[in-house]
Structure formats: C-alpha cells, structure tokens
Amino acid sequence: MIRAIIVEDEEKARSNLMQILSEYCSNVEVVDAQDNVKSGVQAIQQHSPDLVFLDVHMQGETGFDLLEQIGKIDFEIIFTTAHNEYAVKAFKFSAIDYLLKPVDIDELINAVKKAGDKIKQDATKERYELVIENLKGQKSTFNKIALPTADGLIFVQVAEIIRCESEDNYTHFFLKGGERILVSKTIKYFEELLTDQDFFRVHQSHLINLNHIKEYHKGEGGYAIMSDDSAVIVSRRKKEAFLTKLSS
C-alpha cells in the first residue's frame, strides 16, 4: 500500500483528487490532506509518506517552498498544476511526474504506477533538487537534464551533450569525453525539450548541439562535423532551416 499525502489549497481540487484515488487507485491510502505549505510540512514530518501530491502554487507560496523546508526528500512527488509551460518543461528536464488540473483519471493512474515503481530509488532527492534549481530565476535555459535509462536516471550537463541519435523508441546520447548513454525515450521527446537549448533536428535520426559543430560541408543536404569528429548528415528538407539557424 502506498501511503500518500495531498497538499492542495483548492478544496474542490483536493476533494476531487481524493475521490479519484479512492475509486481508481486502490493501492493508495491518503493518510492526510492539507491546504498550505506550513501544515503540509507538518503532515509530511508526522506521517513519513511514500508519495505526496503537491500543488505548485498555493496562497502566495509554492510547492517548492515546501520542499526546501522539508530538507530530506525520501518520498515520491506528483506535482499538480494549472497549465504552466515553464514549470512543465522544468519537470520534464528533471524526469518528474506532474498532472495538469483538472486531473485526468488515466494520467493519474499512470503517474501513480510510475511513482510506485520509483519509490525508494536512490535518485529521488537529486531529481527534486534539480527541478528546484531549474525553476529558480525563471531562466530561459536549463543547465542539467535527467536521462532515464534501463538502470535508473543519469544526470548530465546539457552543454556536455554533443548529439543524439535515434534507434526505434530509444535515443543514444553522445557526450564530451566519449561517453555514450542509451535513453528510454524517443528523439522527438528530446527535440521538443532541447530546441530552446541550441539543439537542432538535422535529420529524422539526428539531433545535434549547435555549440559542438566544428565544420559544415555542403552537398545535397550536406553534413556537419561535430566536436567528437563524428559526421552527421543533414537532410535536404532540413538544410535551409539549418543554415538559417547557424547564421542567426
């Protein structure tokens, strides 16, 4: 049984979440529900939950204020938020689950299942430290990303990524120093995340870090020589947009 706490300042949203959990997530026991940061901290310290449903914005405070007050994060978190593009992107960079309000039943069931699989993993604290770091200052870019692999999460500096190459529903990451990581998400997922970080999808199979290009050779589409001396083909239909991006 997963012991859970809800910290949500809207009474209707809080009641709705409790009802859905009761009906569709029989493996979750809600041991407490609070509506602000202070009482949420007290509830977590008292009950030592496995899982916390945490609202991002609460009465002039945030769920991240709660996390900073808690100190030791030894439980899983599912964030709930009204649509906030910046926060959602930070969650994705940190491999953290979130639910958009109003909560969708299927998405909730899936998030609870994933949280159950992650409970007690060693990387829990580092993931939440990363999302707090990414959200501070509302920066347009993020320095670090969490990459999900078969063995868990690997945290890497975005600037260390030279290129990404797709293989079915997986993506190979090639890093400075020759390290290679196989990640269990598609290249399209990372294209959406990394385009604002100076990455460009030059080919159906290739996403490259523009800061690591050494040379570009002309041709039908041409190809780029990267900082690790790899040659990455540029598709014909991407060539014009790629050259425009390089010159901007």
Side-chain angles (χ1 to χ4, degrees):
M1 183 68 73
I2 298 173
R3 301 173 70 256
I5 287 175
I6 297 171
V7 185
E8 162 66 65
D9 68 342
E10 297 178 22
E11 183 178 357
K12 183 177 180 180
R14 196 165 59 247
S15 299
N16 183 54
L17 181 55
M18 291 178 69
Q19 181 179 348
I20 295 174
L21 286 169
S22 175
E23 292 183 17
Y24 296 95
C25 300
S26 59
N27 61 328
V28 176
E29 176 191 5
V30 178
V31 297
D32 206 342
Q34 298 295 333
D35 64 358
N36 62 76
V37 167
K38 182 178 180 180
S39 61
V41 169
Q42 292 172 345
I44 291 169
Q45 292 172 338
Q46 177 183 347
H47 295 287
S48 299
D50 303 306
L51 173 63
V52 173
F53 292 90
L54 184 58
D55 191 11
V56 173
H57 297 290
M58 295 177 288
Q59 303 172 14
E61 297 179 291
T62 73
F64 309 109
D65 295 327
L66 180 148
L67 295 183
E68 291 186 317
Q69 291 181 36
I70 284 291
K72 182 181 180 182
I73 304 172
D74 55 2
F75 47 86
E76 278 299 311
I77 302 168
I78 298 175
F79 286 95
T80 59
T81 180
H83 188 64
N84 181 321
E85 186 175 344
Y86 186 84
V88 166
K89 189 170 184 179
F91 294 149
K92 289 181 177 179
F93 262 80
S94 310
I96 286 177
D97 284 315
Y98 65 93
L99 295 169
L100 293 177
K101 295 188 283 188
V103 172
D104 177 84
I105 293 173
D106 290 335
E107 290 180 357
L108 173 62
I109 293 170
N110 186 49
V112 167
K113 182 182 182 303
K114 288 194 288 184
D117 293 338
K118 292 176 183 175
I119 286 171
K120 308 305 182 185
Q121 283 186 3
D122 292 338
T124 296
K125 185 174 186 292
E126 191 169 359
R127 278 188 291 128
Y128 297 120
E129 288 177 343
L130 177 56
V131 77
I132 291 170
E133 176 187 334
N134 282 340
L135 281 166
K136 281 183 176 178
Q138 296 282 305
K139 298 175 293 184
S140 60
T141 59
F142 302 124
N143 295 327
K144 191 182 287 187
I145 186 170
L147 301 178
T149 71
D151 297 321
L153 294 171
I154 297 177
F155 299 85
V156 303
Q157 295 289 332
V158 173
E160 298 287 307
I161 302 168
I162 297 173
R163 63 187 182 92
C164 308
E165 183 175 337
S166 68
E167 181 184 346
D168 299 324
N169 290 324
Y170 293 84
T171 303
H172 293 274
F173 275 69
F174 296 84
L175 310 182
K176 288 175 64 176
E179 185 178 2
R180 178 172 173 170
I181 301 171
L182 179 61
V183 179
S184 52
K185 284 190 179 294
T186 65
I187 198 168
K188 179 175 175 58
Y189 176 87
F190 291 109
E191 178 188 11
E192 293 172 354
L193 271 190
L194 294 170
T195 294
D196 292 339
Q197 309 273 139
D198 284 337
F199 282 71
F200 191 88
R201 183 88 173 266
V202 294
H203 186 277
Q204 182 177 352
S205 300
H206 299 287
L207 176 69
I208 65 174
N209 186 339
L210 299 177
N211 297 310
H212 280 283
I213 296 177
K214 287 171 56 178
E215 304 171 14
Y216 170 70
H217 293 260
K218 295 179 180 179
E220 189 171 359
Y223 61 94
I225 303 296
M226 307 303 293
S227 61
D228 61 354
D229 292 324
S230 59
V232 179
I233 191 170
V234 178
S235 71
R236 282 185 300 170
R237 67 185 185 87
K238 294 281 190 175
K239 181 178 180 179
E240 183 177 349
F242 173 60
L243 293 177
T244 299
K245 183 73 173 178
L246 282 182
S247 61
S248 63

